[in-house]
Amino acid sequence: MERIIGIDLGTTNSCVSIVEGNTPIVIPSRGGVHTTPSVVAISQDNKRLVGQLAKRQAVTNPSNTIMAAKRLIGRRWSDPQLQSLLESRGFEAVEGHHGEVLIKINDRAYAMPEISSMVLLELKEIAEEYLGESISKAVITVPAYFNDRQRQATKEAGTLAGLEVMRMINEPTSAALAYGYGKDIDKVVAVYDLGGGTFDFSVLHISDGVFEVLSTVGDTQLGGEDFDDRLIMQWLVVEFAKEHRVDLRRDKMAMQRVRDAAEKAKCELSSVRSTEINLPFIISTAEGMTLHLQKVLTRNKLESLTEDLVDRTIEICRQGMKEAKVDIDEVILVGGMTRMPLVQERVKDFFKRSPRRDVHPDEVVSLGAALHAASLQKGGQDVLLLDVTPMSLGIMVAGGEFNPLIPKNTTIPTAKSHIFTTVRDAQTSVRILVLQGEHEDATKNDLLGEFTLSNIRPAPQGEVEFEVTFEIDADGVVSVSARNLETGVEQAITVTSRSGMSGEALEKMAAENAEHLVTLRSRERVLQLQQKIKRTLDTMDRIMPRVETLLANNGFAEEALIKAKEVIERSKLTIEGDHLESLERDSKALARTLNMFHNVIEKMKRK
Amino acid sequence: MWFDQASPDDLNYLAQYGVWGGVPAIPVCLPGLGRYGRYQFDRYLLLQKNDLTIAQRRELVFLADYFHKIDHFEFFELTADANERDIKKAFFRFSKRFHPDAVRELNLGPFAEHVRLVFEYGQQARDLLLDDQAFKDAYARVTKARDLAYHSKLQAERERQHQKVAEARSKGIKPPKSMRVGATPTPLPQNQRSQAEIDERKSLLRERLAQNQGRRQAHEQSKQSADLKSQAKTFFMAGEQAEARGQVSRALNHFKLCVEYMPKEQKYIEALKRIEAKVAEDRASKLWQEADSLYKSEDSIQKQAALDLFKEACALSPSERRLVAFTQYSLEFELVEDLIPILQKTQQKEPFNIEYMWLLCQCFELSKSLSDTQKYMEMILGLDPSEPRALRLKKRYRF
């Protein structure tokens, strides 16, 4: 049976897991680390760098390095939060034809799913290398509060990476799954998931291997990145400007260094009370004077800067508890940001119990995904997830009001039918806007798409009726179908593409990804061949004098010797280049020659 | 009217949710008739080929056909006084059977549509019962009232029938077939048992529970052993594959695991022995080759080293060819102390092979222990009185 991997595609770090036997394990990368940074860089000659390598070169190459792509995935250009997100980024973003966000590097525009697919491809590679078999199926986690468009885009990213996305599950649910798997418990568990870019809070009832989500709330724009931003924008930059009258923001490279240092300092402050940020030669003034950044950051300062963010998470928790309407037994902390002492303290105060410490905040989500993948394969015998939709799904009705058809916290998969009718005489088409959100005013909610019921028989108003079925599948992805009640015929409806990418563009990108994989593999092969030829040449050099003495005064042998020397000279040239076919040819020729030499030596010895 | 006994407020409240809020007028699950009442199953449909159990098929067919004719409690196999926890548990049980994920890998045959319908309806029923306490209470009260009214009506009808029969009998008329029932009406089960009876029943139930628990434990144990068995089987198959591909050490590991999981299974033990022999053989032949090449050199020290290697190879996998060769080499060097135990061991394993005895004879002859030489010679002659080498030996030493 083909194995399915579980992927936690995070904002700052990603992680891939698999179930071995009955226990889920994290697959370590080549370097032996469990998490891979979700960073992608494109070099001048359009080569890709992903993960640790990309992160390391970010300081020198900020305008071609994309970090935290997850915060932009599935967003529209018109999104009010978008501009503030792009503000402190090094790369250049442009608006696409369908209102989506594109990133422009080296005159080529990359769609967000494409960027994420590069990270997924890297994770897939890691898994394939570890397992020694090819992988084509995965369960990917998404923040619980992702809307339909963001989910669709993530799914597209999976497809682009050559992975069939078996299921997308919510991150807190996945964490709870990893926590409750194999334990015979009947408990209500709250999951507080503060990651790199998103905050989610879910309450679950775990009983007999059934994981029922009672409520889910969250904020997709609240995470570790915001803590960093606070530290940089409200403190470091301001202090530096006060001291030297220089605006750090004008230098992308300096900003990238500051960002790295701020992140590091934040992590350090989880265990020590004060730390030093020391960045020499950070920027030079117009007069050519070089300036250094040297600051001492205390934990108190950090906490005073970011206190309101933590309070915001607690507010969201309060709302979640209200929606769940139950008392909880356990609190689980997930996400690297929950290592911050202030967060732990506030959570402890709010829930009046200390959080569990036996789950690994960085890895638990991907472990849960792997477990779910395994249970899907087994047919849900030991684990069953009953997840909910985090946001209400509805339509816009006359007057611009929002009419929720599927309320939030409804268990998925679910389907609701609604009957529409014409409002004018001889109306031939009805336009319906599908929205997701909680606001009464339809325009303030998130527009998923619009569709048109067309080819309606001209009739007096209200005579033709349609039954439109809204469906949310187990991935949390919305689909719509319509039926003409009069004729019973399925109506053709056209929903505008959500991520703004056409099927053709998707296919092209997938082909490009496959090509990238081929070049990656061939490069490895080239290296192997080069090394092999080098080794053979060394051996040749060692035995050559002996062969020469043995073969002296033998006409036939001399000819062979000359040929062999030709081959050696040629291979010496070939290993300088990286042409795969000639390398392969020469490697074979060399192997033959060496074999011949060995035979000769053997024969001569016997004589 | 069935609903006479329900309070009008409740009825009005439920009416907002459709006809009586979905409480059907007649209970399907009558006492004594089981869950499916008088429902007629379509046998042809039940016996269609698919992966579901017969019980699951019956439930699916019934629920998909009748979900609007039974109340929400009956849907989940609950009684009207079920609390929130009971409903939740019942829904979990239900979804473990019919959730799309739970049946994902199964071949549902003609039941795919049934599963979809039933699960959708189950979700709705659960939402109604759990999310709205007022609805649930009203629903429970009306259901109870309906059951009570229906049962009392049934009882009354039965009594009337019995009366008619009795009247007819008293007049000497044979009652018509449809009215022929037992002499006295069977009372509906009512809670009129004495405390002693109840206690007795309780203790009986406890006993049964204990029995069941014992059985369950036994079942779990057997399941565990089945797990081990299946695990061992997978290892065995992997081992066989590896063996077929020639990956001997991998196969050895797999078979070792196999035997660890199922130490008594003869098949696995045999496989392990076989593969161990193979590994030894492989190593021995490698050693032998090495030794051979060493032995060919003229240097006597190298020859000595070769002898050590020969010895190791023979100890690993003593085959006749090797032992003969090794004995020959050893006799050349007059070093037989190491050889004798190996030979003896092999000879004990194959007591009827004359060749080994002859080798032993030669060795003992060299080490001048004539009694042993004689012993083996006699053994050879016992097996084959016309063996020329043994006869020659006998002649030489005049035994």
Side-chain angles (χ1 to χ4, degrees), chain A residues 167 385-388 406 410-415 471-476, chain B residues 99-101 119-120 123:
Chain A
R167 177 65 50 87
L385 283 189
L386 299 172
D387 215 333
V388 299
I406 301 179
T410 304
T411 314
I412 51 175
T414 185
E471 230 179 296
I472 303 183
D473 67 6
D475 291 335
Chain B
H99 191 278
D101 278 356
F119 187 70
E120 210 169 274
Q123 261 180 325

Side-chain angles (χ1 to χ4, degrees), chain A residues 369-397:
Chain A
L371 278 171
H372 191 59
S375 95
L376 278 180
Q377 246 173 351
K378 277 188 236 156
Q381 290 309 304
D382 42 356
V383 177
L384 188 67
L385 283 189
L386 299 172
D387 215 333
V388 299
T389 165
M391 280 173 267
S392 304
L393 178 77
I395 50 163
M396 184 162 96
V397 292

Side-chain angles (χ1 to χ4, degrees), chain B residues 87-269:
Chain B
I87 297 169
K88 255 198 168 159
K89 289 260 167 190
F91 181 69
F92 285 175
R93 272 203 307 278
F94 169 78
S95 40
K96 273 210 158 183
R97 276 175 300 174
F98 300 128
H99 191 278
D101 278 356
V103 295
R104 203 171 158 277
E105 296 290 312
L106 298 180
N107 168 25
L108 295 176
F111 292 102
E113 188 61 10
H114 290 77
V115 171
R116 200 185 62 77
L117 256 176
V118 166
F119 187 70
E120 210 169 274
Y121 185 78
Q123 261 180 325
Q124 283 171 18
R126 184 205 82 120
D127 287 351
L128 274 172
L129 291 182
L130 279 185
D131 292 355
D132 192 344
Q133 188 64 31
F135 174 88
K136 193 216 136 189
D137 290 346
Y139 196 88
R141 281 197 293 270
V142 171
T143 316
K144 259 188 214 165
R146 183 217 44 195
D147 284 356
L148 208 65
Y150 189 76
H151 288 160
S152 61
K153 198 202 152 178
L154 268 188
Q155 182 79 3
E157 206 155 79
R158 235 185 241 185
E159 269 166 19
R160 214 172 60 232
Q161 198 131 329
H162 283 301
Q163 223 170 1
K164 264 189 183 173
V165 173
E167 266 174 30
R169 282 229 172 95
S170 70
K171 283 178 193 163
I173 306 166
K174 209 174 175 187
K177 234 180 186 177
S178 62
M179 285 192 178
R180 251 179 252 161
V181 273
T184 49
T186 43
L188 282 170
Q190 270 163 3
N191 210 357
Q192 287 172 342
R193 294 197 183 92
S194 68
Q195 191 58 39
E197 257 180 313
I198 291 170
D199 287 346
E200 194 187 334
R201 210 173 151 65
K202 269 188 185 166
S203 68
L204 189 74
L205 283 176
R206 273 202 201 102
E207 226 169 75
R208 274 196 204 153
L209 194 69
Q211 271 176 9
N212 279 344
Q213 262 169 358
R215 226 178 281 160
R216 197 176 300 148
Q217 274 170 5
H219 174 70
E220 265 163 24
Q221 271 172 9
S222 72
K223 211 169 139 194
Q224 267 180 8
S225 71
D227 274 357
L228 285 181
K229 218 172 177 176
S230 70
Q231 200 87 324
K233 204 173 165 192
T234 24
F235 281 128
F236 183 67
M237 270 151 64
E240 272 186 335
Q241 272 177 15
E243 197 188 343
R245 268 189 248 123
Q247 300 162 320
V248 185
S249 62
R250 196 167 169 187
L252 177 70
N253 280 342
H254 279 297
F255 285 137
K256 263 185 195 162
L257 279 169
C258 242
V259 173
E260 209 172 279
Y261 275 76
M262 297 285 298
K264 280 176 193 160
E265 180 74 41
Q266 204 54 43
K267 193 168 92 180
Y268 298 158
I269 295 170

Side-chain angles (χ1 to χ4, degrees), chain A residues 93-205:
Chain A
V94 291
E95 185 181 358
H97 294 301
H98 304 278
E100 77 273 25
V101 181
L102 297 178
I103 287 173
K104 210 168 172 192
I105 293 174
N106 299 343
D107 300 329
R108 177 166 167 351
Y110 292 88
M112 293 318 298
E114 214 181 338
I115 304 286
S116 286
S117 81
M118 295 179 196
V119 180
L120 288 176
L121 208 62
E122 173 80 9
L123 296 174
K124 185 183 157 192
E125 277 281 281
I126 289 173
E128 282 182 349
E129 199 164 294
Y130 177 84
L131 296 170
E133 57 187 273
S134 72
I135 298 282
S136 69
K137 289 177 180 174
V139 170
I140 300 181
T141 63
V142 289
Y145 220 61
F146 253 20
N147 66 25
D148 181 55
R149 207 143 23 74
Q150 288 163 315
R151 279 166 205 265
Q152 286 276 7
T154 309
K155 204 166 192 173
E156 265 164 25
T159 318
L160 285 177
L163 289 168
E164 186 191 334
V165 184
M166 299 294 285
R167 177 65 50 87
M168 283 188 291
I169 58 172
N170 294 332
E171 279 161 15
T173 318
S174 181
L177 187 59
Y179 161 74
Y181 177 77
K183 293 193 180 103
D184 189 17
I185 49 174
D186 188 352
K187 272 179 183 169
V188 179
V189 175
V191 184
Y192 178 100
D193 177 2
L194 186 56
T198 55
F199 172 67
D200 284 320
F201 177 74
S202 285
V203 182
L204 293 103
H205 182 189

Side-chain angles (χ1 to χ4, degrees), chain A residues 468-535:
Chain A
V468 179
T469 310
F470 297 86
E471 230 179 296
I472 303 183
D473 67 6
D475 291 335
V477 171
V478 179
S479 61
V480 188
S481 63
R483 198 159 56 92
N484 191 330
L485 281 182
E486 201 177 42
T487 57
V489 175
E490 293 273 330
Q491 275 281 325
I493 54 168
T494 45
V495 184
T496 52
S497 174
R498 286 155 189 145
S499 63
M501 283 204 289
S502 66
E504 256 175 56
L506 278 175
E507 267 171 31
K508 205 180 129 204
M509 282 176 203
E512 230 167 73
N513 265 336
E515 206 175 285
H516 168 70
L517 215 60
V518 169
T519 50
L520 203 73
R521 293 215 170 114
S522 72
R523 203 187 303 153
E524 267 168 30
R525 178 94 186 110
V526 164
L527 277 178
Q528 274 176 11
L529 282 175
Q530 281 174 343
Q531 274 164 13
K532 195 176 162 195
I533 292 178
K534 224 175 213 169
R535 268 202 308 277

